[in-house]
Amino acid sequence: MSAWTHDLLARLRRRRVKREQEHGDNALKHLLKESHAGRAGTLASLKGTLRLGDRAVLRVLDRLRVSGLAAMEGDTHRLTADGEQRARHLIRAHRLLERYLADEARMPVTAVHGMAERLEHQMSEAETDRLSAALGHPERDPHGDPIPSAGEAPDDLGEPLASLTPGEVACISHLEDEPATIFRALVAHGLRPGLSVTVARASTESLELLADGRSLTLPVALAGNVFVTREHDVLAGEDDTVRLSDVAHEEEASVVSLSPACQGFTRRRLLDLGFTPGTRVRPVLESFAGDPRAYRVRGTTVALRHDQARHVTVRSAGAHGHRTAGTQDVGNAGAGVFGS
């Protein structure tokens, strides 16, 4: 056998082993999802998830049973304790990778799922722990899903957006990232976790929403992939907050909150730079392209990119007078520049 042939066979063997591992891991995640839904996995449900034929799925299940990761009960399949631990690790690694790809690698949020799906199989638990620490232990991924730890309860996605009635206000808690075409359409509508929305009108075909000071019409087919948490303490029409990125040049505003979608180091850096509730902030310099922009905060000029400033919710200082009780002055906090 020539060296070239030997090398080719070795590469084909590694590719087959990698593909088998991915199929096994995806089967474990499916069985965990079914378990959270109160169901057991079946051959038919696994075929749909793995997109494989009967014989190929049975080979995957045989390997999981031999490895002690899954067990067969009649015609159904369940995870063992070791299998559940592996499945939880995969989900944690996936969501941390999505957080990293969106926040640090600056990938479009519509592209992070596919990349994380490919990388999650290669992450050990120790590497996943290090990634979590490096990201500042974020609590949610870019889609609003909680990032689990061992033993954590099933995801709480919130309730469907379509369950709201006109006039109700809610915060988007989760955008379903599959199928990808619907997720891209939701992102194109400007929807994201942490966004406050008000249902203006509802019909059997669509929902008319108010979000970020604009109105949009969302087909019911898309609304089914949006989950929300009701904001009982916010009355429709009384929310006068905007994103910092939308504040006009030299207009002073007061920080209200940071978006729940802002996690990890990005959130900590914004807090370290003084973007805490009550702090006055004012855009003072515009770049030629308008992004990034410089802000005066706590006596320091800092630069934020547009997609960083949009995580800061503010209220115009003019909306409630120039100074209110509890508002922090523009003092002499430490200098710093964030983003460029």
Side-chain angles (χ1 to χ4, degrees), residues 313-325:
T313 300
V314 300
R315 178 178 290 114
S316 170
H320 297 290
H322 291 294
R323 190 171 294 277
T324 58

Side-chain angles (χ1 to χ4, degrees), residues 216-265:
L216 63 94
T217 300
L218 194 67
V220 169
L222 299 184
N225 281 27
V226 182
F227 295 82
V228 299
T229 302
R230 293 174 194 260
E231 296 184 353
H232 297 289
D233 55 340
V234 179
L235 298 178
E238 291 191 356
D239 186 4
D240 56 357
T241 59
V242 296
R243 294 180 300 184
L244 179 59
S245 56
D246 296 330
V247 173
H249 183 62
E250 292 290 356
E251 179 183 349
E252 190 169 74
S254 176
V255 175
V256 175
S257 63
L258 299 184
S259 166
C262 179
Q263 296 283 326
F265 275 149

